[in-house]
Amino acid sequence: MTEQQQRSYRLPATTATTRSGAPEPRPIGRIPVQDVRPAVDGGALPTKSVVAEPLEVSATVFREGHDAVNASVVVTDPDGAVTYVPMTCTNPGLDRWEAQVAADRTGLWSYRIEGWSDPYGTWAHDAAIKVAAGVDTELMLEEGARLLERFAAELDLEPADRTLVTGATSDLRDTDLPVDARLGAGLSQELRDLTVRRPLRDVVSASRTYAWLVERERALTGAWYEIFPRSEGAHRDEQTGEWTTGTLRTAADRLPGIAAMGFDVVYLTPIHPIGAVNRKGKNNTLTAEPGDPGSPYAIGSKEGGYEAVHPELGSWADFEAFRERAEELGMEVALDLALNCAPDHPWVQTHPEWFTTRADGTIAFAENPPKKYQDIYPLNFDNDPDGLYRAVRHALEVWFEHGVRIIRVDNPHTKPTEFWQWLIADVAQTYPDVIWLAEAFTRPAMMHTLAKVGFQQSYTYYAWRNEAAELREYCEELAGDASYYMRPSFWPTTHDILTPFMQYGGPTAWKMRAALAATLVPTYGIYAGYELMENVARPGAEEQIDNEKYEFKDRRWADYEPGGPREGQSLAPYLTRLNEIRHQHPALDWMRNLRFHETDDETVLCFSKRRVLDDGTEDVIVVVAGCDPHSTRQTWIHLDLAELGLQPDESFTAHDLITGAEWRWGQHNWVELGAGKEPVHIVQVRRF
């Protein structure tokens, strides 16, 4: 839609301040436009979406008196082209106006709401009432004719539209026609449609302009698989007990198996040299034995720091070969940015001011009481912020030059948020397609702020939300206002997290939590070994015993293949099916379309996702999940059929995408699921 001529009421610009120095309140405008949503921190920070993802824009728009008011969303693309999108009043009593917009490419867009007086709407309303009552009939018809003359004079109409307007103008004045026919010409549906597409807009008043950052689809949607590269291809000599490390080249041999399960991103824990000083041994012991590889999160040694690859893993050329192989298989590679320096990291010698020196002259190691990390020196961002900021940015440039476009950040909540805002924005100037995932299991304010200042994705509390009610409450929060800046990534376990639910829930828990993670949110991930249900915890801790952070693991993947001694003991086929469902059903790619439905059993969760596709067809998925891994539940679920695009009395074929079973469902349905059965139904809605 091209920009339209309009009669605007413009208040003079002002930069006046009050006596206290505070700015004068912003003028409200002739047509008040209030409570614009979405607006991240009142518009101080950008609203986020990905290409083609709908943005639901709304505002309260009203005016004095009884004249008709209307509203538009004015969208400006990265090149400055402007589009006007009509809004609909969805709640006349509260003057709430809404519209849905979507961007067709990445970049920094913007939007604002314009409220305006609608002269045609005012006339149409008054004329319909007065003419029917025989009040001022000729006057109302003449005013309508003059209004349409304004249309013809002020708007650059297409020939067919101009003919429609001039014909209606003539009919309104044709006294040989019946009054009803004359009025009908001015109120025809064709003319009403034209006034929506090309309205006359008087006393236009605009809201402030809101930044809208549109990113690539992977910023919202993806299935991640985490590996320690040194474990892929590692093996232990049964006679000597010595380990041979895996390398980036042997890790590349594992990629076809990961791709076959349908994962989109393979995420590597840090691949840099590991410190020798204070190196940790197995299970985080303080003394490393000969052959212990240490934690890859204790970064830096005489072999280098963040710009180097651990020599035992290979070289940057080997990394590039790994990345290229992943891309051949349809996956992207994510690298781990862990700003943790080992005591022998080169920066400790060259820039001791970047660390915290204690009263006894020693450099403070990392602590998260009661945990201590003697093999790590945390960075201090206060002594030389400019130097440290630029050093991190320089190190990252090496990664980007080697094709990395996804960064998982370890513990970003322990670094200044302004640092992340600067770093992410600076990287985006050269590499706008880079995606950042925040591993911040911390207070809500910090998690939300990290998302607001630039992180595209965020780890969440999912691992600790196990009951149906708390999952619903949490996901409704994530799918609400938070979804305009924070994109959740659900991980049932990580290399640091093994909750009691997973320790004791058995295979039912592992299937249930993977299925919920894969369907509740667009991005989810698993840590290697999930398919083997590695559930033994270190005593007194919520993490695995014999943690892979401190030692090699040879999972002997071939043993679980057909014909192997452990065939049938892996969840790989189940994970494969989950990812197939995700790839086949675009409704699961979005977050804001999540809707919950009622169940009679408090341990059963039911939700749906619905999406209209480009060809006009609909993809509708209903998920029913038991949240108790120890029992089988039978209960009624109650579907809000309108949310599924169905009529209140309509029934449909419920096709279970996990088992292939089909049932005839309607508003109320009986389900059975849990231990001993499938714990989750992922149902495609098929109309009869």
Side-chain angles (χ1 to χ4, degrees):
M1 193 179 302
T2 59
E3 187 170 3
Q4 303 153 45
Q5 293 180 337
Q6 52 197 7
R7 295 185 177 183
S8 299
Y9 182 92
R10 301 188 182 278
L11 292 169
T14 177
T15 56
T17 59
T18 63
R19 193 171 283 183
S20 69
E24 291 281 3
R26 186 178 186 275
I28 197 168
R30 180 65 175 77
I31 306 294
V33 179
Q34 299 181 327
D35 191 20
V36 176
R37 300 181 187 180
V40 178
D41 281 4
L45 295 167
T47 298
K48 296 180 185 177
S49 76
V50 298
V51 173
E53 182 189 13
L55 196 68
E56 301 286 347
V57 183
S58 65
T60 299
V61 182
F62 60 96
R63 66 165 298 167
E64 83 292 343
H66 301 288
D67 284 0
V69 69
N70 217 315
S72 307
V73 182
V74 184
V75 175
T76 304
D77 73 14
D79 296 327
V82 175
T83 300
Y84 289 78
V85 180
M87 301 185 77
T88 300
C89 188
T90 57
N91 190 325
L94 296 178
D95 300 302
R96 196 68 188 167
W97 293 76
E98 297 180 359
Q100 186 180 96
V101 297
D104 59 4
R105 57 195 171 99
T106 61
L108 186 60
W109 296 57
S110 69
Y111 58 90
R112 67 178 185 272
I113 308 296
E114 290 185 347
W116 40 278
S117 181
D118 182 357
Y120 177 81
T122 299
W123 173 81
H125 174 268
D126 292 349
I129 294 173
K130 288 186 175 183
V131 172
V135 177
D136 297 335
T137 298
E138 288 300 326
L139 181 60
M140 293 306 300
L141 295 175
E142 177 58 26
E143 288 180 350
R146 294 187 182 190
L147 183 63
L148 294 185
E149 286 178 333
R150 271 191 63 194
F151 266 92
E154 297 183 12
L155 300 181
D156 184 17
L157 298 174
E158 297 291 333
D161 293 336
R162 184 170 295 277
T163 298
L164 174 65
V165 171
T166 56
T169 304
S170 177
D171 288 347
L172 282 166
R173 288 178 170 146
D174 189 349
T175 56
D176 291 335
L177 292 174
V179 169
D180 288 348
R182 296 166 65 189
L183 179 63
L187 299 179
S188 70
Q189 189 60 53
E190 294 85 350
L191 193 58
R192 288 179 182 272
D193 292 343
L194 173 60
T195 63
V196 171
R197 289 187 288 110
R198 302 295 310 278
L200 283 175
R201 309 192 317 156
D202 288 348
V203 293
V204 176
S205 302
S207 72
R208 65 167 293 174
T209 297
Y210 297 85
W212 175 19
L213 180 61
V214 181
E215 298 171 304
R216 63 189 181 102
E217 187 179 19
R218 187 64 65 227
L220 174 65
T221 303
W224 289 45
Y225 190 95
E226 175 192 356
I227 65 170
F228 282 69
R230 69 189 186 192
S231 287
E232 303 301 334
H235 59 276
R236 181 174 178 271
D237 187 300
E238 296 297 335
Q239 293 183 341
T240 65
E242 295 182 356
W243 280 90
T244 299
T245 183
T247 67
L248 288 165
R249 294 283 179 175
T250 61
D253 294 335
R254 173 67 180 143
L255 290 174
I258 298 171
M261 287 187 286
F263 288 95
D264 308 303
V265 177
V266 56
Y267 146 47
L268 310 184
T269 52
I271 61 173
H272 309 296
I274 297 172
V277 176
N278 294 344
R279 177 174 289 192
K280 291 294 187 74
K282 294 180 180 180
N283 287 309
N284 201 26
T285 56
L286 294 178
T287 303
E289 299 294 331
D292 284 346
S295 169
Y297 289 91
I299 294 171
S301 70
K302 63 182 180 180
E303 287 89 3
Y306 293 105
E307 295 104 329
V309 173
H310 196 314
E312 292 182 2
L313 292 177
S315 64
W316 278 113
D318 293 323
F319 170 77
E320 283 203 355
F322 179 93
R323 177 185 57 77
E324 290 169 0
R325 180 60 176 141
E327 291 175 356
E328 289 173 3
L329 294 166
M331 296 185 294
E332 292 191 60
V333 174
L335 274 190
D336 208 332
L337 174 60
L339 295 177
N340 308 316
C341 293
D344 40 339
H345 189 290
W347 287 355
V348 176
Q349 298 300 319
T350 60
H351 290 282
E353 71 275 13
W354 291 351
F355 304 90
T356 298
T357 301
R358 305 189 70 180
D360 62 1
T362 62
I363 293 178
F365 56 74
E367 295 185 71
N368 183 15
K371 293 182 178 180
K372 294 185 177 183
Y373 303 94
Q374 294 89 340
D375 56 342
I376 293 173
Y377 288 167
L379 294 168
N380 184 324
F381 284 79
D382 295 331
N383 296 336
D384 177 23
D386 287 347
L388 185 51
Y389 283 24
R390 297 187 184 282
V392 174
R393 176 65 183 86
H394 176 75
L396 281 170
E397 185 67 24
V398 176
W399 302 15
F400 300 138
E401 288 176 350
H402 287 285
V404 176
R405 291 296 181 271
I406 303 180
I407 307 294
R408 181 266 195 191
V409 178
D410 186 68
N411 289 335
H413 54 288
T414 61
K415 288 79 180 175
T417 54
E418 68 173 8
F419 163 69
W420 295 119
Q421 185 174 33
W422 171 82
L423 180 65
I424 293 171
D426 190 73
V427 167
Q429 293 182 35
T430 309
Y431 305 101
D433 56 340
V434 170
I435 295 167
W436 303 76
L437 168 64
E439 185 242 13
F441 300 112
T442 183
R443 301 182 308 278
M446 175 60 81
M447 291 177 67
H448 285 257
T449 300
L450 288 169
K452 290 176 181 179
V453 302
F455 280 93
Q456 283 83 2
Q457 298 178 3
S458 305
Y459 279 59
T460 65
Y461 304 130
Y462 174 69
W464 299 277
R465 299 291 188 269
N466 297 306
E467 296 182 3
E470 61 187 5
L471 271 171
R472 175 172 179 167
E473 179 183 23
Y474 189 41
C475 289
E476 285 179 334
E477 172 193 332
L478 295 172
D481 290 343
S483 69
Y484 292 103
Y485 59 86
M486 181 177 179
R487 302 188 186 103
S489 183
F490 277 10
W491 292 70
T493 67
T494 73
H495 61 260
D496 284 322
I497 299 169
L498 183 67
T499 62
F501 190 93
M502 305 303 287
Q503 294 173 34
Y504 305 112
T508 300
W510 290 74
K511 293 173 73 173
M512 176 191 303
R513 296 297 288 177
L516 283 171
T519 54
L520 276 167
V521 296
T523 289
Y524 87 109
I526 66 161
Y527 159 48
Y530 189 95
E531 57 268 60
L532 309 185
M533 295 170 282
E534 296 173 343
N535 69 327
V536 181
R538 184 164 58 87
E542 287 192 5
E543 65 179 40
Q544 290 186 4
I545 198 167
D546 302 329
N547 194 299
E548 195 172 0
K549 282 198 301 184
Y550 308 106
E551 60 182 276
F552 301 105
K553 277 191 181 296
D554 180 5
R555 293 187 171 92
R556 304 177 68 91
W557 298 112
D559 288 357
Y560 300 89
E561 297 294 325
R566 297 182 179 179
E567 179 182 0
Q569 298 179 33
S570 169
L571 288 182
Y574 191 78
L575 297 173
T576 301
R577 185 59 190 139
L578 290 178
N579 288 329
E580 288 174 349
I581 292 169
R582 285 169 53 88
H583 290 147
Q584 293 165 3
H585 292 279
L588 298 174
D589 290 342
W590 289 349
M591 183 73 204
R592 292 192 279 268
N593 61 348
L594 177 65
R595 301 291 184 271
F596 287 91
H597 303 262
E598 302 304 318
T599 73
D600 287 352
D601 188 325
E602 64 182 10
T603 70
V604 174
L605 189 70
C606 182
F607 59 92
S608 66
K609 290 192 173 186
R610 175 187 173 202
R611 177 173 174 178
V612 179
L613 306 181
D614 292 341
D615 62 3
T617 61
E618 291 190 347
D619 182 35
V620 185
I621 298 295
V622 175
V623 178
V624 188
C627 295
D628 177 3
H630 304 290
S631 65
T632 297
R633 317 295 292 205
Q634 297 176 327
T635 190
W636 287 96
I637 62 171
H638 309 285
L639 301 177
D640 183 342
L641 295 181
E643 293 289 359
L644 309 183
L646 302 173
Q647 297 301 313
D649 58 349
E650 194 171 352
S651 62
F652 62 92
T653 297
H655 175 67
D656 191 321
L657 296 169
I658 295 291
T659 65
E662 291 189 347
W663 311 282
R664 183 165 184 161
W665 277 11
Q667 181 179 4
H668 309 290
N669 310 285
W670 180 256
V671 297
E672 182 178 14
L673 66 174
K677 288 184 166 292
E678 287 296 333
V680 179
H681 296 316
I682 304 177
V683 169
Q684 180 185 13
V685 173
R686 291 179 174 175
R687 293 175 182 268
F688 286 111

